[in-house]
Amino acid sequence: NAGVTQTPKFRILKIGQSMTLQCAQDMNHNYMYWYRQDPGMGLKLIYYSVGAGITDKGEVPNGYNVSRSTTEDFPLRLELAAPSQTSVYFCASNWASGGETQYFGPGTRLLVL
Amino acid sequence: AQTVTQSQPEMSVQEAETVTLSCTYDTSESDYYLFWYKQPPSRQMILVIRQEAYKQQNATENRFSVNFQKAAKSFSLKISDSQLGDAAMYFCAYRTTNSGGSNYKLTFGKGTLLTVNP
């Protein structure tokens, strides 16, 4: 049981480039989330998904897109990278039935230059 | 909207001593969940402890315990017998009990960096 996995661990992008951050979970959780963590700040929600085929925006969705074709995978797409997207990105998941705890992946550190 | 405030950007404690990290929150809801997450230098987010607002008894997990004051909207974390491995950033987080949609998201404070001195 690997829990929540994320790839890559670290990436440097040039302004205007695109990339996809991968997230997978093997706990059969229905809810999945993408957060970003800026220096000195807590995590903010980018997008979330309540199940395969269903996604919705969080607090800071601009510049990102997501898809969820399977229960296990929830990739985050950056189309035109900007310096403001330099951050650490966390994927999380939980089984939504009341107070289920969210489990986090190890994070992806992204640097946009 | 709910907010979570951690007023101590940094704290330090001597090994084997006790330290308390503060967290206050603002909400109009009567039922919710509160969490403390630990983020070591590896950046992995690790759940330390959680509290359900309808439970009056304070949660405890080994050396970690909370002081939950619902009326004061305060949720502090006490670490007893501090160990070098406790050094990390600690985040307080809030989650509503309302179901569906983005209600399951966590609202985080800005964190408290804990240093443990040998």
Side-chain angles (χ1 to χ4, degrees), chain A residues 54-93:
Chain A
I54 307 171
T55 64
D56 206 347
K57 296 177 181 179
E59 303 169 83
V60 289
N62 292 344
Y64 307 95
N65 276 300
V66 294
S67 60
R68 184 133 179 239
S69 57
T70 67
T71 299
E72 295 77 20
D73 300 298
F74 189 40
L76 177 72
R77 178 85 177 161
L78 282 71
E79 290 295 346
L80 292 170
S84 61
Q85 294 176 304
T86 293
S87 190
V88 180
Y89 292 84
F90 288 96
C91 180
S93 72

Side-chain angles (χ1 to χ4, degrees), chain B residues 7-99:
Chain B
S7 58
Q8 306 154 315
E10 296 183 25
M11 293 280 286
S12 63
V13 63
Q14 291 295 126
E15 197 174 1
E17 297 290 308
T18 296
V19 65
T20 299
L21 309 184
S22 300
C23 172
T24 59
Y25 57 94
D26 186 26
T27 183
S28 58
E29 299 176 333
S30 60
D31 201 11
Y32 44 86
Y33 299 97
L34 295 165
F35 305 84
W36 278 99
Y37 277 89
K38 170 185 178 181
Q39 187 180 44
S42 66
R43 283 199 295 271
Q44 178 75 52
M45 294 289 285
I46 302 165
L47 178 69
V48 175
I49 199 166
R50 81 175 215 179
Q51 174 81 38
E52 293 156 22
Y54 70 87
K55 290 186 177 179
Q56 296 198 356
Q57 186 172 5
N58 289 326
T60 299
E61 287 288 342
N62 301 314
R63 298 183 294 108
F64 298 87
S65 61
V66 299
N67 183 5
F68 174 49
Q69 302 287 330
K70 190 173 184 180
K73 297 180 181 175
S74 171
F75 182 60
S76 60
L77 174 70
K78 186 171 85 170
I79 306 174
S80 303
D81 186 25
S82 296
Q83 300 175 0
L84 295 177
D86 295 334
M89 182 72 86
Y90 286 82
F91 290 97
C92 178
Y94 170 102
R95 211 209 85 180
T96 180
T97 57
N98 294 332
S99 62

